[in-house]
């Protein structure tokens, strides 16, 4: 799916798997993101049995969270949902981090996160609004996965 496109579907509604996960505005340690990634993986495992697909979901979650940390502001909220077969992960923040000048991040090699999500997700979008940024992706595991 083209980034920013609105999906048109007649598929069943997605049901949230557990409560929203939350990272504070400035994650305190590398373990914060790791714990959230593992929680997303555990929730997705209720629907998906294939370890490789779960690896992909965890990787895409990691990239989405990194995007929110690098480019967003405020708390990062993550939700996992399913329709019984497909898994949807949503990552929201409070919007672009205006004027964030972090010299330590200036030379960091990044910029492949959305390409990774584009390659692995069945559908995805990055949506901007005055109230925040919303990145979501859907994984439709192959039959038997």
């Amino acid at each position: 799916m083209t980034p920013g496109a609105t999906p048109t579907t007649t598929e069943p509604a997605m049901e949230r798997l557990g409560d929203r996960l939350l990272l504070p505005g400035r994650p305190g340690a590398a373990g914060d993101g790791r714990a959230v990634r593992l929680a997303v993986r555990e929730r997705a495992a209720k629907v998906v049995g294939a370890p490789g697909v779960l690896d992909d979901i965890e990787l895409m979650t990691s990239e989405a969270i990194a995007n929110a940390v690098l480019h967003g502001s405020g708390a990062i909220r993550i939700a996992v949902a399913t329709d019984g077969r497909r898994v949807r992960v949503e990552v929201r923040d409070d919007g672009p981090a205006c004027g964030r000048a972090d010299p330590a991040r200036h030379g960091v090699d990044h910029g492949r996160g959305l390409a990774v999500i584009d390659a692995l997700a069945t559908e995805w979008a990055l949506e901007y609004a005055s109230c925040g940024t919303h990145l979501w992706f859907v994984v439709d595991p192959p039959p038997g996965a």
Side-chain angles (χ1 to χ4, degrees):
M1 169 169 276
T2 304
T6 302
T8 55
T9 182
T10 57
E11 296 185 20
M14 296 273 186
E15 178 182 333
R16 190 178 302 159
L17 294 170
D19 295 331
R20 277 193 205 282
L21 300 163
L22 181 69
L23 280 170
R26 290 288 211 180
D32 292 345
R34 185 176 312 118
V36 169
R37 287 192 321 268
L38 292 175
V40 167
R41 183 185 183 105
E42 288 172 5
R43 291 174 185 191
K46 295 175 182 178
V47 180
V48 177
V53 176
L54 291 172
D55 290 346
D56 290 349
I57 291 169
E58 187 175 351
L59 175 61
M60 288 185 285
T61 300
S62 176
E63 295 295 345
I65 291 171
N67 221 30
V69 168
L70 286 170
H71 306 293
S73 64
I76 301 167
R77 298 164 302 284
I78 300 99
V80 184
T82 186
D83 63 3
R85 173 158 169 65
R86 298 160 47 102
V87 174
R88 178 179 170 122
V89 177
E90 300 182 23
V91 177
R92 295 177 183 267
D93 63 56
D94 293 334
C98 299
R100 181 187 289 167
D102 189 344
R105 290 187 181 165
H106 180 68
V108 174
D109 182 23
H110 57 73
R112 295 183 188 94
L114 296 180
V116 168
I117 293 170
D118 188 50
L120 298 175
T122 305
E123 299 174 43
W124 71 279
L126 178 58
E127 302 164 349
Y128 299 99
S130 60
C131 59
T133 305
H134 178 205
L135 172 62
W136 62 264
F137 62 86
V138 174
V139 175
D140 189 3

